[in-house]
Amino acid sequence: MEFTGEAQRTDGSRSQYQHFIPRFILRRFQVGPMKSKEERTREFRRTGVEPEYVHYYDIATGSLDIRPIGKVYGATNFYQDVRNNDDINELEHKLSLLEGQAASIITDLHKALPQGTFTLKRRSLELLRKFMFIMHYRNISCSSVYFQADHPDNAGARQWIESFMKAKDIQSAPEIWLHFLRYYLDTSHSDIMQNAAELIEKYGEEGLQKMMAESHIPPDLEHFPAYTYHVHANSYFFSIWEAAEGKEFIITHNAFGLWEGLKGGCPNLHRIFVVSPRVAIILRHVDSRPELKESIKPGTFVSCLLDVNPAPPTPIYSHGEHGKYINHINFQSAMEVARYRSSREGENDSFVFKITKLSQPQTLQFNFVLLINVTTKLCALTFLSRESMLSTARAF
């Protein structure tokens, strides 16, 4: 079965329906059997209708129907860059390439479910982390407010946003959002982390946090968003959760990067990414690692998912149990760590993930987290089987 990223052409050569939930993920929720790309193409040529549909519950109308995958969880010309005279849909093409790479890894992950473990080389893990970050960043709810200078959540960065927009002749929040979407797509995980490490070496972690808190980010910090990516990558360990037998995960408009749980009063314990009815990838804060539990004060963590205990991945370094290069790294230096991870030695490291199989109550609780965040008329949800969705709705 082939799962690839695809752009959906709608109206002429310059207009596209562009997804913020990729087609390859939606196909895992497809009504009826999944088809290969060749089968889909053949049927479309024969009927003129795309042979892919999902259950779609529209919160605004309260209606449940079956809709074409090509017409849900997206918007027309969402990623179009009107400043790019050569190809205004260039970013959509680049997203499709990233989706295709991520789709291959996620397909391998599903094949590994019966074994209970999944092994990734460092570069594949980095690519998947980059995909997860961009999946959150590309959400339609982020495009207009992520860099909105007068948004309350951006108070600490307002001066930097305004200065950067002036320096780059950018006129709106969506334009600067597209600018950094291009940066994240064009720059490798390793290079983004090294850009962030340069900032950390110069200003320190506390200094960067203080900049954001006190609203004085220097205007010349062009790569400041690299630090946001760094925090996302370094502060969370990657875990794989599988739904209980007979149960399924649902998917919602915001099921990619959704925050859940509090750590010290801040909403950043988990980030949720549903990739199929069977599998969710969860980023859990490193402070909750098992070896740190004894040092954490009671009540520090507040979450609906605390009874799930995912194990952090087990690293297998390319040069022995600890790796001869690892022993020479100063882990207090962000740059040294970033350089090792981008090196040929680091490239050959592997990570073994134990897949966390949820119980039926835990799977229901996980879906409840998604359902309680379906809060506005712009929201929607999709599921694979009506029976599983009905049992979830009744329990909710």
Side-chain angles (χ1 to χ4, degrees):
M1 188 65 62
E2 182 179 2
F3 297 93
T4 58
E6 299 174 29
Q8 173 65 32
R9 183 75 39 96
T10 57
D11 178 26
S13 61
R14 293 171 66 87
S15 185
Q16 291 181 348
Y17 188 86
Q18 298 170 336
H19 291 77
F20 54 84
I21 298 181
R23 283 169 168 260
F24 81 86
I25 290 176
L26 293 174
R27 285 186 185 120
R28 292 194 177 272
F29 292 84
Q30 183 173 321
V31 175
M34 289 182 291
K35 297 177 172 62
S36 69
K37 187 175 183 179
E38 291 74 19
E39 289 172 326
R40 296 194 303 270
T41 301
R42 252 194 328 267
E43 189 163 341
F44 178 77
R45 287 174 178 169
R46 182 174 59 84
T47 66
V49 177
E50 290 190 27
E52 303 176 295
Y53 299 88
V54 292
H55 293 112
Y56 187 89
Y57 183 72
D58 189 324
I59 303 300
T61 62
S63 62
L64 171 63
D65 54 12
I66 295 176
R67 297 192 187 184
I69 285 176
K71 299 295 183 182
V72 293
Y73 299 108
T76 301
N77 302 334
F78 183 38
Y79 307 112
Q80 279 197 350
D81 183 0
V82 296
R83 293 158 61 96
N84 185 342
N85 294 323
D86 295 326
D87 183 2
I88 60 174
N89 289 316
E90 181 188 15
L91 291 176
E92 171 72 357
H93 303 324
K94 291 181 176 183
L95 281 166
S96 294
L97 291 174
L98 177 64
E99 289 170 12
Q101 294 171 310
S104 178
I105 297 171
I106 291 172
T107 296
D108 290 342
L109 165 57
H110 281 80
K111 291 177 182 177
L113 290 179
Q115 301 160 18
T117 62
F118 183 54
T119 302
L120 283 173
K121 285 289 190 74
R122 185 181 293 279
R123 293 294 174 262
S124 294
L125 176 57
E126 289 175 347
L127 188 142
L128 203 50
R129 276 193 173 274
K130 179 175 178 177
F131 172 72
M132 295 299 161
F133 178 87
I134 289 178
M135 280 299 300
H136 163 67
Y137 181 84
R138 73 193 281 189
N139 192 291
I140 195 165
S141 63
C142 292
S143 62
S144 60
V145 300
Y146 206 94
F147 291 104
Q148 180 184 332
D150 59 355
H151 193 279
D153 290 344
N154 293 334
R158 178 167 186 163
Q159 180 186 10
W160 177 83
I161 292 171
E162 292 175 342
S163 298
F164 189 89
M165 290 176 67
K166 183 177 181 181
K168 298 292 183 181
D169 191 29
I170 292 174
Q171 306 301 318
S172 67
E175 280 186 36
I176 192 172
W177 177 79
L178 286 172
H179 175 92
F180 283 108
L181 177 59
R182 181 183 300 280
Y183 165 72
Y184 290 132
L185 287 168
D186 286 348
T187 314
S188 70
H189 172 95
S190 295
D191 287 345
I192 296 173
M193 295 298 281
Q194 290 200 52
N195 287 339
E198 290 173 2
L199 297 178
I200 295 168
E201 297 280 299
K202 183 173 182 179
Y203 298 101
E205 292 270 9
E206 290 185 5
L208 292 167
Q209 294 292 336
K210 187 176 180 181
M211 285 180 191
M212 292 188 288
E214 297 183 2
S215 186
H216 58 77
I217 302 171
D220 60 343
L221 292 191
E222 180 169 352
H223 290 142
F224 192 79
Y227 181 64
T228 303
Y229 185 100
H230 165 89
V231 171
H232 191 275
N234 266 27
S235 298
Y236 298 86
F237 70 85
F238 195 99
S239 64
I240 301 166
W241 297 11
E242 182 182 2
E245 293 299 329
K247 297 295 180 183
E248 299 167 356
F249 296 134
I250 63 173
I251 196 170
T252 62
H253 72 293
N254 60 351
F256 294 89
L258 179 67
W259 290 111
E260 192 284 331
L262 302 177
K263 183 186 78 71
C266 298
N268 61 356
L269 183 57
H270 298 109
R271 299 201 76 162
I272 293 171
F273 300 84
V274 177
V275 296
S276 80
R278 298 291 326 140
V279 176
I281 294 173
I282 308 299
L283 302 183
R284 177 174 268 190
H285 202 281
V286 294
D287 286 353
S288 68
R289 290 176 67 101
E291 66 268 27
L292 299 178
K293 278 190 175 181
E294 292 184 3
S295 62
I296 300 296
K297 295 179 180 178
T300 298
F301 302 134
V302 178
S303 169
C304 298
L305 305 173
L306 281 181
D307 66 332
V308 182
N309 295 300
T314 301
I316 302 175
Y317 296 111
S318 58
H319 293 274
E321 181 181 355
H322 299 292
K324 67 179 182 180
Y325 295 96
I326 290 288
N327 294 331
H328 301 294
I329 295 174
N330 174 10
F331 281 93
Q332 301 304 311
S333 168
M335 184 57 75
E336 278 198 39
V337 172
R339 283 174 178 161
Y340 169 75
R341 290 173 175 171
S342 65
S343 69
R344 288 187 178 181
E345 293 80 14
E347 181 176 356
N348 290 319
D349 295 341
S350 297
F351 300 85
V352 181
F353 295 86
K354 183 179 179 181
I355 297 170
T356 302
K357 187 70 171 283
L358 302 190
S359 65
Q360 291 197 4
Q362 288 171 336
T363 305
L364 286 171
Q365 189 63 54
F366 182 92
N367 282 336
F368 293 170
V369 170
L370 298 175
L371 289 172
I372 62 176
N373 283 280
V374 178
T375 55
T376 72
K377 290 186 176 181
L378 297 176
C379 300
L381 68 88
T382 287
F383 51 89
L384 178 60
S385 69
R386 287 175 176 256
E387 297 79 12
S388 182
M389 184 65 232
L390 183 60
S391 69
T392 297
R394 283 173 173 167
F396 185 68

